[in-house]
């Protein structure tokens, strides 16, 4: 993956992790009984953002790929349920409205990360195949 893209993703996920962690920590510690589902969803999203940032930093591509796929699924489910059944959400989460309170970054970021991670995986597979072909050609 392009180093600038990788660092940009790490920074974006770290910032989102801090923002979501701050918001959810306050909500969970002071008013969890008012809206437990949204506040716990925000807490889970904060932890997921942190895991993804660490995975990108440590170059754990598989963990980052799974994490961003789970994130995108969560954003789509929570965002859709917020419109279909708003009574389930007594307050907003990071993913409510597809992340509209965060400038839709929670929706756009996993899409960008998935595209970059899948491209990297394909490029790595192509390099491995080319290397294997070259090695088997040398053996002849």
């Amino acid at each position: 993956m392009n180093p600038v893209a990788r660092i940009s993703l790490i920074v974006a996920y770290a910032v989102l992790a801090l923002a979501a962690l701050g918001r959810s920590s306050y909500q969970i510690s002071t008013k969890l009984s008012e809206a437990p589902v949204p506040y716990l969803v925000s807490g889970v999203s904060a932890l997921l953002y942190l895991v993804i940032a660490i995975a990108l930093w440590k170059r754990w591509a598989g963990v980052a790929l799974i994490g961003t796929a789970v994130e995108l699924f969560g954003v789509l489910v929570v965002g859709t349920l917020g419109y279909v059944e708003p009574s389930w959400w007594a307050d907003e989460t990071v993913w409510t409205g597809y992340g509209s309170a965060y400038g839709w970054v929670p929706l756009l970021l996993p899409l960008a990360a998935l595209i970059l991670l899948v491209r990297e995986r394909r490029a790595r597979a192509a390099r491995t195949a080319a290397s294997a072909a070259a090695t088997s050609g040398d053996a002849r």
Side-chain angles (χ1 to χ4, degrees):
M1 178 182 309
N2 174 325
V4 173
R6 182 174 156 267
I7 291 170
S8 297
L9 285 175
I10 292 167
V11 169
Y13 274 109
V15 168
L16 263 179
L18 289 172
L21 184 61
R23 176 183 186 159
S24 64
S25 295
Y26 170 76
Q27 292 170 327
I28 290 169
S29 65
T30 61
K31 50 187 185 172
L32 180 62
S33 62
E34 294 175 22
V37 172
Y39 299 156
L40 292 173
V41 166
S42 287
V44 167
S45 69
L47 293 176
L48 185 58
Y49 292 143
L50 181 61
V51 166
I52 295 168
I54 292 169
L56 289 166
W57 180 260
K58 298 277 191 177
R59 298 182 189 272
W60 299 336
V63 173
L65 188 63
I66 291 167
T68 54
V70 169
E71 174 195 4
L72 181 59
F73 178 78
V75 171
L76 294 174
V77 168
V78 171
T80 301
L81 288 177
Y83 289 114
V84 171
E85 195 55 57
S87 65
W88 291 356
W89 307 97
D91 201 352
E92 288 189 351
T93 73
V94 174
W95 295 340
T96 303
Y98 305 107
S100 60
Y102 288 79
W104 288 278
V105 171
L107 176 62
L108 300 175
L109 188 59
L111 291 172
L114 284 168
I115 289 168
L116 291 170
L117 288 164
V118 168
R119 281 185 184 168
E120 178 184 15
R121 179 172 275 200
R122 287 182 180 163
R124 191 177 321 117
R127 286 190 304 269
T128 302
S131 176
T135 304
S136 68
D138 291 343
R140 292 182 193 181

